[in-house]
């Protein structure tokens, strides 16, 4: 299984199971099956509303001896309503309790956006906190303390651009080790990828298959369907594999962790087997050329008329 190595020589399985949009009733079986099939990396977040079920699946997998805790990588994230330093550790504790774990392998700031305590999604600016009220650097300091306490092994961010990463690094004691961002052939993010490589920050690609199961309210009309892309389909035919496997193989070849989500056994297995699909240099560059800077998750839900954030702040 392909792995990437952290600065302290810990290794993460490059291919993990995504759990965003996995319903509580489905995710228990998906995670258990994924672990039985060989996945050793599960990506979670409290805002996905399913950590208790994932915790149940992890507990059963440990109890049955399918996997030991130190053989599997678990990532979770700090939700936006817990950016104030005093809220960071309690948020982690809730996640640890739900996942039934003593520690996380990786904890990420989910978005460079702060909300008031208890708010999942803002209805207006009054639900939000500005950078002045909740500076990202203060949140980061509280994240560093979790590493000191042994509650998380690694810390990083999600949905951060180079500007926000630079800001954190100016005062960071522990540099961010991972940036989890939307990344696929329609959004190749070459500038951000280069910045992360230069600073030793690993990348996790989310929505690698185009996340077509997003709720209707989060979808744009006429959005391009990545799994239906002609070039991707042609390459899949050549390799006698599926378009999803081509997309996953592309991410792995680019050097990204990749977290395709599925709740179906056949696809969970198929996605893991994408590690066996070896794309040629010319196929990789053909896929690279599909870039159209298209974000499926464009972050516009954080921009409110009377709110503290503009689109430029979010992707800064
Ligand atoms: P399902 O969970 O029903 O299998 P992303 O990882 O980009 O968020 O995409 C997730 C979407 O892609 C879900 O709708 C998921 O459906 C679907 N999906 C996952 N694996 C495959 C696959 N191998 N082939 C086709 N669709 C897939």
């Amino acid at each position: 299984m392909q792995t990437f190595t952290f600065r302290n020589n810990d290794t993460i399985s490059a291919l993990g199971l995504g759990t965003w949009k996995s319903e509580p009733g489905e995710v228990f079986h998906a995670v258990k099956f994924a672990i039985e099939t060989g996945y050793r990396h599960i990506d979670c977040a409290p805002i996905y509303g399913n950590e208790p079920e994932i915790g149940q699946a992890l507990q059963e997998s440990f109890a049955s001896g399918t996997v030991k805790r130190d053989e599997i990588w678990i990532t979770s994230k700090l939700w936006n309503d817990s950016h104030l330093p005093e809220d960071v550790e309690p948020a982690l504790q809730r996640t640890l309790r739900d996942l039934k774990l003593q520690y996380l392998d990786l904890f990420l700031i989910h978005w460079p956006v702060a909300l008031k305590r208890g708010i999942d999604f803002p209805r207006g600016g009054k639900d939000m906190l500005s950078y002045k009220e909740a500076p990202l650097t203060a949140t980061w300091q509280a994240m560093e303390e979790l590493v000191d306490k042994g509650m998380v092994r690694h810390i990083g961010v999600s949905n951060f651009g180079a500007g926000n990463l630079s800001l954190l690094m100016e005062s960071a004691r522990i540099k961010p080790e991972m940036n989890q961002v939307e990344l696929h052939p329609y959004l190749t993010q070459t500038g951000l990828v280069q910045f992360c490589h230069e600073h030793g920050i690993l990348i996790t690609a989310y929505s690698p298959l185009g996340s077509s199961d997003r709720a209707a309210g989060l979808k744009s009309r006429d959005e391009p369907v990545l799994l239906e892309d002609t070039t991707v389909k042609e390459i899949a035919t050549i390799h006698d594999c599926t378009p999803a496997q081509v997309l996953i193989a592309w991410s792995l070849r680019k050097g990204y962790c990749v977290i395709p989500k599925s709740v179906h056994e056949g696809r969970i297995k198929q996605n893991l087997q994408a590690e066996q699909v070896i794309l040629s240099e010319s196929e990789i560059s053909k896929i690279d050329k599909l870039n159209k800077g298209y974000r499926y998750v464009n972050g516009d839900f954080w921009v409110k008329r009377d709110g503290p954030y503009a689109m430029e702040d979010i992707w800064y």
Side-chain angles (χ1 to χ4, degrees), residues 3-295:
T3 58
F4 296 113
T5 304
F6 281 80
R7 295 180 201 129
N8 72 345
N9 285 329
D10 281 355
T11 55
I12 181 171
S13 281
L15 210 158
L17 180 73
T19 63
W20 174 39
K21 307 175 262 75
S22 298
E23 295 299 323
E26 306 168 320
V27 77
F28 168 80
H29 184 72
V31 170
K32 235 176 137 221
F33 178 79
I35 294 171
E36 281 159 20
T37 311
Y39 282 73
R40 291 295 177 263
H41 169 181
I42 313 288
D43 184 79
C44 314
I47 196 65
Y48 303 161
N50 54 14
E51 286 194 331
E53 289 76 12
I54 295 172
Q56 198 62 40
L58 293 175
Q59 195 175 51
E60 290 196 17
S61 303
F62 298 147
S64 64
T66 313
V67 74
K68 294 194 188 69
R69 172 66 187 96
D70 62 2
E71 294 168 339
I72 188 161
W73 185 280
I74 311 291
T75 298
S76 188
K77 312 185 188 89
L78 178 77
W79 188 237
N80 307 359
D81 72 334
S82 303
H83 276 209
L84 293 175
E86 63 272 26
D87 292 338
V88 172
E89 185 174 329
L92 172 67
Q93 271 163 347
R94 280 194 298 279
T95 272
L96 289 176
R97 186 199 59 214
D98 288 347
L99 292 173
K100 300 176 185 34
L101 297 176
Q102 302 296 315
Y103 69 92
L104 288 180
D105 296 281
L106 177 63
F107 197 40
L108 307 175
I109 298 182
H110 205 146
W111 284 91
V113 165
L115 302 175
K116 289 194 179 152
R117 197 178 292 151
I119 302 286
D120 283 349
F121 286 94
R123 280 152 307 172
K126 63 172 181 3
D127 288 339
M128 311 182 83
L129 296 174
S130 66
Y131 285 139
K132 212 164 162 206
E133 293 167 302
L136 288 171
T137 46
T139 309
W140 187 253
Q141 214 177 340
M143 298 283 283
E144 292 175 326
E145 284 165 20
L146 303 176
V147 178
D148 299 339
K149 290 182 180 174
M151 299 172 79
V152 304
R153 298 272 156 95
H154 300 272
I155 50 176
V157 295
S158 182
N159 296 300
F160 272 49
N164 279 325
L165 276 168
S166 299
L167 184 86
L168 277 199
M169 286 192 291
E170 271 171 32
S171 60
R173 198 162 44 82
I174 303 172
K175 300 263 186 280
E177 294 190 272
M178 177 68 80
N179 191 14
Q180 181 178 128
V181 291
E182 180 180 340
L183 200 46
H184 46 69
Y186 288 166
L187 184 69
T188 54
Q189 306 234 45
T190 45
L192 180 58
V193 165
Q194 196 183 332
F195 178 91
C196 289
H197 283 165
E198 280 165 10
H199 291 87
I201 301 167
L202 292 169
I203 289 176
T204 298
Y206 80 66
S207 296
L209 309 179
S211 278
S212 57
D213 56 344
R214 278 166 300 127
L218 293 177
K219 285 177 104 161
S220 304
R221 259 184 302 126
D222 307 328
E223 66 177 33
V225 183
L226 193 51
L227 284 167
E228 301 275 309
D229 184 90
T230 317
T231 303
V232 173
K233 278 162 87 173
E234 277 168 12
I235 294 172
T237 307
I238 293 166
H239 286 268
D240 194 19
C241 71
T242 65
Q245 288 178 313
V246 169
L247 294 168
I248 296 164
W250 174 84
S251 270
L252 293 173
R253 263 296 288 283
K254 299 298 279 186
Y256 312 143
C257 285
V258 57
I259 47 169
K261 169 266 177 184
S262 179
V263 290
H264 293 103
E265 287 191 4
R267 287 169 171 179
I268 290 172
K269 203 164 167 180
Q270 181 197 115
N271 294 347
L272 189 66
Q273 285 166 347
E275 287 197 318
Q276 267 77 59
V277 176
I278 309 298
L279 302 174
S280 69
E281 286 299 334
S282 78
E283 287 167 338
I284 293 285
S285 64
K286 244 190 216 168
I287 299 173
D288 287 345
K289 290 197 183 85
L290 299 176
N291 183 42
K292 41 180 136 211
Y294 188 83
R295 285 186 194 278

